Amino acid sequence: MDWTHYRFVSRWPLPAPAPVVYALLERPEDYPRWWPQVREVTRLDDTSGVFRIRSLLPYDMTFTARETRRDPVAGVLETALTGDMEGWARWTVTPAAGGCLARYDQEVDVTKPLLRRFAVPGRPLFRANHRLMMRAGRRGLHELLGALDAV
């Protein structure tokens, strides 16, 4: 087993139409406004940007995300990731009862030296850290959607 390889799947049921959620997710430069662990996103061009994230554990991760697929009809946003992690991430937003389901898939190899050094003993903490980050992101997006409804 490669202890620095991770696969994550998160499912966010959200109370809004799929096109509304998709439109918010395709604007990563706005993520820090509603997702506390996404500390900074710097757009490089129309299809890439540098992300700095930090969850509960005291370390930042920085990576470049480059768009590889944008398909609003299918509800798919996919990026290639390079930097402190190498791999890919994909949002798939589909209609569901009461709104939509935003599914986040990610498969990465961690390259940050600190995380590689503590790969075996830290793995449960790193996975929990990711779960907390995703939970906060779902909560933040849910609150943003509620605020948009109120306008």
Side-chain angles (χ1 to χ4, degrees):
M1 173 175 193
D2 181 354
W3 293 95
T4 61
H5 184 83
Y6 291 87
R7 293 185 73 153
F8 298 107
V9 177
S10 298
R11 293 173 183 86
W12 297 0
L14 296 164
V20 170
V21 171
Y22 184 92
L24 293 170
L25 293 174
E26 73 178 343
R27 296 189 46 81
E29 64 274 13
D30 291 340
Y31 286 16
R33 294 181 185 159
W34 54 267
W35 198 340
Q37 293 78 14
V38 179
R39 302 300 172 95
E40 184 179 7
V41 177
T42 304
R43 274 281 190 183
L44 299 175
D45 55 36
D46 288 344
T47 62
S48 63
V50 177
F51 285 67
R52 185 174 61 85
I53 62 172
R54 182 178 184 160
S55 191
L56 185 63
L57 294 176
Y59 61 85
D60 287 0
M61 292 188 74
T62 303
F63 57 90
T64 299
R66 183 183 48 80
E67 182 180 293
T68 56
R69 182 176 176 200
R70 180 185 295 225
D71 185 344
V73 173
V76 175
L77 294 164
E78 189 168 298
T79 58
L81 309 175
T82 57
D84 287 342
M85 63 178 106
E86 305 274 334
W88 58 269
R90 177 178 51 239
W91 285 108
T92 306
V93 184
T94 55
C100 71
L101 178 67
R103 177 184 164 129
Y104 182 77
D105 293 275
Q106 183 181 44
E107 187 165 345
V108 294
D109 291 298
V110 176
T111 61
K112 187 174 182 91
L114 175 69
L115 301 182
R116 292 183 68 79
R117 191 171 312 123
F118 293 105
V120 173
R123 190 172 179 87
L125 290 172
F126 301 156
R127 293 188 69 80
N129 199 52
H130 185 270
R131 278 192 304 277
L132 291 170
M133 179 176 173
M134 296 306 290
R135 184 181 317 162
R138 179 184 48 81
R139 187 178 311 122
L141 187 53
H142 192 276
E143 289 172 7
L144 175 62
L145 291 166
L148 293 176
D149 273 348
V151 173

